[in-house]
Amino acid sequence: PMKQLKAFKFQLKTNEAEAAQLRRFAGCCRLVWNKALAMQKERLDSKQSILNYPKMAAELIKWKYAPETSFLSGAPAQPLQQTLKNLDRALRDAFNKKSPKRFPRFKKKGTGDSFRYPQGFKIDEANSRVFLPKIGWVSYRNSRAIEGTAKNITLSESGGAWFVSIQTEQETEQALHESGSIIGLDMGVAKFATLSDGTVFQPVNSYRKHEKKLKRLQRQLSRKVKFSNNWKKQKGNIQKLHAKIANIRRDYLHKTSTTISKNHAIVVIEDLQVANMSATAKGT
């Protein structure tokens, strides 16, 4: 047997009060990330070693008692601590000599708002709801059964809606593929993918299909007073359309990859940068 990690993502059925709490907690986690990252950058600039997670956790306690950041004490402790753990790992990955990754960046409001509960949550699958510390029970759209033991949950915002991703762990037997075939896959621009047996997958072009509507919404946004209520509503409509375009593309990718992986045991693909293939000589 082997341990298998799986993620199950559902849309939450939040009311205005619950959505406001989720936004506030995401904002607190974003503040902790930015504040901790700024402190680490200052230490690096002054030729000092970066602080590890235990020392940063001690700083978090100080921030909770500081007058200007005392509101952090109203947020659940687990997501704030998990944010520092994520930053600690990102910094270690950035300084990994064998395979260094990009140095962590500051987070912006409204871009990838999310936070994680490593523990303290509860899942009531029979009634399609999850318990979130300092928020309570929140319903979700139960579209599939959850398999395995829940290890952590992540709350994220996309297109004006909140989603819960439940990561589970379970023991399964080593899977053996029914097919023994090997296939080569060539990625392209005009054609999404071509297999060595002649099968062609055409691109879905979700952006092109919604390009006119997106331009119209963006023109309407440019005529509104910035940060007014109408401007915020229009910006929300644009975000929803972007989320729809991304969902169509993601759905097509999942269906295509599932079709290929179910019919072939081994898939060989070139290590190509599709973005470079589609770039012009001028680099636009």
Side-chain angles (χ1 to χ4, degrees):
M2 56 179 288
K3 287 186 178 180
Q4 184 183 55
L5 295 177
K6 267 189 167 184
F8 299 84
K9 189 174 182 178
F10 307 98
Q11 182 177 344
L12 292 175
K13 299 179 180 178
T14 57
N15 54 36
E16 291 184 5
E18 291 167 343
Q21 283 283 73
L22 291 171
R23 286 193 298 270
R24 187 167 71 87
F25 293 163
C28 290
C29 291
R30 182 174 59 250
L31 173 68
V32 168
W33 172 282
N34 291 340
K35 198 172 180 63
L37 180 57
M39 179 179 291
Q40 300 285 34
K41 286 176 71 70
E42 286 179 4
R43 293 183 65 85
L44 289 173
D45 292 340
S46 59
K47 307 299 181 182
Q48 300 182 62
S49 61
I50 60 175
L51 300 176
N52 57 17
Y53 166 71
K55 292 181 180 179
M56 289 306 304
E59 292 295 325
L60 175 60
I61 297 175
K62 296 178 183 178
W63 298 341
K64 288 184 177 181
Y65 286 99
E68 63 275 11
T69 53
S70 59
F71 56 86
L72 291 175
S73 59
Q78 294 290 339
L80 299 180
Q81 294 168 355
Q82 184 64 44
T83 299
L84 292 178
K85 289 180 181 179
N86 293 343
L87 178 60
D88 181 64
R89 172 181 252 179
L91 288 169
R92 284 189 280 110
D93 289 343
F95 289 105
N96 188 337
K97 294 182 180 179
K98 292 184 178 180
S99 56
K101 295 184 179 179
R102 188 185 68 186
F103 193 84
R105 299 181 180 181
F106 292 104
K107 295 183 181 292
K108 297 181 181 179
K109 182 179 180 181
T111 303
D113 284 343
S114 65
F115 59 95
R116 177 179 297 174
Y117 285 99
Q119 58 187 13
F121 60 89
K122 299 176 186 177
I123 302 173
D124 183 5
E125 193 174 358
N127 294 307
S128 304
R129 59 179 188 167
V130 293
F131 178 82
L132 308 176
K134 295 204 173 183
I135 294 180
W137 289 102
V138 182
S139 300
Y140 67 90
R141 299 183 184 276
N142 195 347
S143 55
R144 58 187 299 198
I146 301 174
E147 303 171 2
T149 304
K151 306 298 290 184
N152 61 71
I153 63 172
T154 301
L155 288 306
S156 60
E157 190 272 338
S158 177
W162 281 90
F163 296 84
V164 57
S165 296
I166 304 171
Q167 187 183 61
T168 65
E169 182 182 87
Q170 62 178 334
E171 286 193 354
T172 59
E173 294 296 327
Q174 186 75 33
L176 295 176
H177 206 288
E178 297 178 357
S179 173
S181 64
I182 301 175
I183 199 76
L185 188 150
D186 179 50
M187 299 290 294
V189 178
K191 297 177 181 178
F192 174 67
T194 304
L195 303 184
S196 56
D197 62 359
T199 305
V200 176
F201 294 93
Q202 298 295 339
V204 67
N205 292 328
S206 59
Y207 177 79
R208 296 298 180 192
K209 292 177 181 178
H210 297 85
E211 188 176 13
K212 289 184 178 179
K213 183 177 181 181
L214 183 61
K215 287 183 178 180
R216 186 178 73 251
L217 293 177
Q218 289 173 335
R219 282 197 302 269
Q220 293 172 352
L221 179 69
S222 66
R223 300 189 187 105
K224 300 185 185 300
V225 179
K226 200 169 185 179
F227 301 120
S228 66
N229 288 334
N230 287 333
W231 182 88
K232 291 178 182 178
K233 290 179 183 178
Q234 188 67 14
K235 192 171 180 64
N237 292 333
I238 294 175
Q239 290 175 339
K240 289 179 182 178
L241 183 57
H242 275 299
K244 182 178 180 180
I245 293 171
N247 287 338
I248 293 173
R249 187 184 297 116
R250 193 179 298 113
D251 178 69
Y252 181 72
L253 289 172
H254 279 304
K255 288 179 178 177
T256 303
S257 60
T258 300
T259 300
I260 296 172
S261 63
K262 281 188 174 181
N263 294 312
H264 305 284
I266 299 177
V267 180
V268 183
I269 183 172
E270 292 180 276
D271 187 13
L272 296 176
Q273 294 290 336
V274 179
N276 295 340
M277 295 166 59
S278 61
T280 65
K282 294 182 179 180
T284 58

